[in-house]
Amino acid sequence: MSEAGASERPGGEQLALIRAAVRERKLPRARPRTWRDAPLAERLPVARVLVDKGLVHLDRCFDYAVPAALDADAQPGVRVRVRFGAGQRDGRREGGGLVNGYVVERRADSDFAGVLAPLAQVLSPEPVLTPELLALCRAVADRCAGALADVVRLAIPPRMAKAERVPTPEPPPLPAPPAPGGWSRYPHGAAFLTALAEGRAPRAVWTALPGPRWPHELATAL
């Protein structure tokens, strides 16, 4: 029955008003916990975090305490939320704005002499900032005189919560290297393919011999 029909019945007008009020009501978003007086992780209680602040004078990592409840999920490479700019009060750090970041490292201690603010939330236990990607982003930022957080923001795709719920399958085994085929026509062709198969980065200048084989030879190298 439509809302107009429902309003003609006894109490229908009140129901329509309730529905309208529910639609207009904005449910408050769940806020990360402050973890006040919460126990910390027994092992590696410090997380070094790259905060998403693309400012050159903040182009470094910051240390945060790891609550025991987040110990299992707060692994290197995962997305987290932290309170940045918190002030120290009564022996603890409170306040500050919530910003996103990535756990870069777990440590047993910190170089910071004051009290560490705890991690506010682990957004996802899926590691996305691998050491190799972090090193590449650092090199790009240094090369372009930019901030590491800006490069990481472009290098890592936005989070897809629905995709994260799907179990990650095991990677398939690497295929066996193909036979040299037409590369055997070249003095060092077989050695070139062997170096590629072993994961090395051989340098070569290739001048294809006459004939229709060069597309297959190129596909074999790829």
Side-chain angles (χ1 to χ4, degrees):
M1 181 179 294
S2 65
E3 290 185 6
S7 62
E8 296 175 358
R9 301 177 54 187
E13 183 178 356
Q14 289 82 357
L15 290 176
L17 292 174
I18 292 174
R19 294 191 188 98
V22 171
R23 292 194 193 100
E24 295 177 357
R25 181 186 177 190
K26 294 182 179 180
L27 297 178
R29 297 180 60 183
R31 296 182 178 180
R33 294 181 57 183
T34 60
W35 302 105
R36 179 180 297 178
D37 300 327
L40 300 181
E42 295 183 0
R43 181 178 176 273
L44 303 179
V46 177
R48 185 148 289 179
V49 177
L50 172 66
V51 296
D52 192 5
K53 287 282 189 179
L55 302 175
V56 177
H57 68 282
L58 297 177
D59 190 22
R60 58 188 179 89
C61 295
F62 297 85
D63 290 347
Y64 286 83
V66 181
L70 302 181
D71 184 19
D73 292 338
Q75 298 302 315
V78 303
R79 307 174 195 258
V80 294
R81 298 203 82 188
V82 296
R83 296 188 178 275
F84 192 76
Q88 186 168 333
R89 183 185 308 165
D90 298 332
R92 51 180 183 264
R93 298 190 73 85
E94 295 181 344
L98 285 169
V99 297
N100 295 337
Y102 301 89
V103 176
V104 173
E105 182 186 4
R106 288 284 299 270
R107 299 169 56 92
D109 52 11
S110 173
D111 300 332
F112 182 66
V115 179
L116 297 180
L119 297 175
Q121 183 182 9
V122 176
L123 293 176
S124 169
E126 186 76 19
V128 292
L129 184 58
T130 62
E132 296 80 9
L133 181 58
L134 177 61
L136 176 61
C137 293
R138 180 73 273 176
V140 172
D142 293 343
R143 173 78 175 180
C144 301
L148 176 61
D150 288 338
V151 181
V152 170
R153 191 184 309 116
L154 297 175
I156 299 179
R159 183 190 175 208
M160 302 295 291
K162 184 177 180 180
E164 288 180 355
R165 291 193 291 267
V166 179
T168 303
E170 293 293 331
L174 295 177
W183 284 96
S184 58
R185 301 188 297 161
Y186 305 90
H188 303 289
F192 175 69
L193 293 182
T194 300
L196 290 177
E198 292 176 352
R200 291 180 283 161
R203 296 184 178 184
V205 176
W206 176 41
T207 301
L209 293 174
R213 298 184 180 182
W214 68 266
H216 186 269
E217 293 166 359
L218 182 59
T220 301
L222 293 176

